[in-house]
Amino acid sequence: MSSVVATSPLTAQAFKSSYKPIWCPGCGDYAVLNSIAKAFAMLELKPENVAVVSGIGCSSRIPAYTNCYGFHGVHGRSLAAGSGLKIARPDLTVLVASGDGDGYSIGGNHFLHACRRNVDLTYIVMDNHVYGMTKGQPSPTTEPDWDSKLSPGGTGLRTFHPLVIALAAGANFVARAFSGDPNGTAEIIADAIRTPGFSFVEILSPCVTFRPEQRDWKKLVRPAPVATTDDPARAARRIMTDDGFNIGVLYKGERRPYQPPIRRDTQRVADLEAEFTI
Ligand SMILES: Cc1ncc(C[n+]2csc(CCOP(=O)(O)OP(=O)(O)O)c2C)c(N)n1
Ligand code: SF4
């Protein structure tokens, strides 16, 4: 009789590294890290089958704090690296982590085209409406009237609307979560990973240092009063008219994820060179 070694699913803790996060005490990103680890455990993943990819920012420190494969890249380029990785290694679960500065300013163009390409990965953006790491400059999601030393009198600029932009650009899954609801956030991240194609999760994650008033977000968030829709126009209308604090999966579509047309990974360099010989 053959003996079978039972392997029990890993706990959330097993997805965390031994590095102690250096975020400010009270930063929302601690809870987001917990939710990510919890989602991986819920899906019974293994750290060696997961890659966490990021750009630069406080939020982009996430890969170092997980026990999975990780890539802490350059500012605004996390989606380019994550998409390339998923295309080359479709067997991996790829989670790309970003902040509102990293993802919507310098990385804004990558965001549009990642939605359009619909590569099967999950993109989470820890949105605190500010550049935390570089000490409080306004970001694309900063309110126009936010008065600060670096933006006296406010920017006066209209805010970027990531969820609607993601929908218009073709994201297959669009959700909003709140770091102060770690279990709900874990559920949403797990759902995003499970759903094929490009899944986008905006996570409201307070920067208690440069935006201390965001501690009040916990009083403002609420579950979205409507069920998930598969109609992008309906989802867009709802998102455009809510106040930014409705939490939940707001849109789930059925677009086929991107597949590379030909697998050329076995092609020899000499053959490639021959193709380009004039
Ligand atoms: C090419 C380049 N430009 C600018 C910077 C400086 N920089 C580092 S992080 C950052 C903004 C981070 O803000 P966000 O993505 O919102 O993350 P947070 O720190 O708030 O989590 C900037 C402008 C950089 N590292 N590289
Ligand atoms: S500066 Fe803000 S975003 Fe960065 S670790 Fe501190 S609280 Fe978090």
Side-chain angles (χ1 to χ4, degrees):
M1 196 170 110
S2 65
S3 68
V4 178
V5 180
T7 50
S8 48
L10 297 171
T11 62
Q13 195 56 34
F15 290 92
K16 293 204 197 156
S17 74
S18 55
Y19 292 109
K20 198 170 151 1
I22 57 164
W23 293 308
C24 308
C27 176
D29 296 350
Y30 286 98
V32 178
L33 172 64
N34 288 340
S35 299
I36 292 170
K38 193 166 184 162
F40 290 164
M42 282 163 61
L43 294 170
E44 300 189 11
L45 299 175
K46 295 204 167 65
E48 63 269 29
N49 296 331
V50 179
V52 182
V53 176
S54 73
I56 301 290
C58 299
S59 38
S60 290
R61 292 183 182 278
I62 288 270
Y65 303 143
T66 74
N67 212 13
C68 309
Y69 285 109
F71 183 73
H72 190 182
V74 287
H75 197 31
R77 304 291 178 257
S78 59
L79 279 172
S83 304
L85 175 60
K86 181 66 187 184
I87 290 166
R89 287 288 308 273
D91 54 311
L92 293 177
T93 296
V94 175
L95 182 119
V96 180
S98 191
D100 41 300
D102 187 69
Y104 308 145
S105 277
I106 191 167
N109 192 31
H110 291 284
F111 177 47
L112 296 180
H113 294 285
C115 294
R116 184 173 72 87
R117 285 194 186 101
N118 201 30
V119 174
D120 182 20
L121 58 82
T122 293
Y123 184 45
I124 64 164
V125 175
M126 283 154 268
D127 194 345
N128 52 20
H129 303 184
V130 74
Y131 290 9
M133 179 172 264
T134 46
K135 304 209 178 303
Q137 299 89 347
S139 84
T141 51
T142 301
E143 303 77 354
D145 58 352
W146 181 59
D147 188 34
S148 74
K149 265 194 273 183
L150 295 172
S151 58
T155 62
L157 294 173
R158 184 193 163 101
T159 52
F160 192 75
H161 211 317
L163 295 168
V164 187
I165 289 166
L167 269 172
N172 197 46
F173 177 106
V174 170
R176 188 187 287 122
F178 172 51
S179 61
D181 171 25
N183 290 337
T185 300
E187 296 274 356
I188 289 175
I189 294 173
D191 197 357
I193 294 172
R194 249 188 250 114
T195 305
F198 185 84
S199 297
F200 171 51
V201 185
E202 170 188 271
I203 307 181
L204 300 172
S205 179
C207 172
V208 293
T209 298
F210 295 104
R211 305 292 314 260
E213 71 281 12
Q214 291 176 349
R215 288 180 190 274
D216 283 346
W217 278 356
K218 60 178 173 299
K219 297 182 201 148
L220 302 176
V221 295
R222 67 186 89 75
V226 284
T228 308
T229 176
D230 60 0
D231 176 348
R234 180 175 295 168
R237 206 164 35 247
R238 286 174 180 170
I239 296 166
M240 280 301 279
T241 51
D242 80 13
D243 62 358
F245 291 103
N246 283 350
I247 303 303
V249 178
L250 304 168
Y251 171 77
K252 211 191 268 198
E254 292 192 351
R255 274 187 73 204
R256 204 165 60 85
Y258 172 80
Q259 296 288 339
I262 337 161
R263 290 295 310 237
R264 308 188 74 162
D265 49 358
T266 52
Q267 192 163 14
R268 294 180 317 126
V269 175
D271 295 337
L272 265 177
E273 279 174 355
E275 271 184 38
F276 290 95
T277 305
I278 303 169

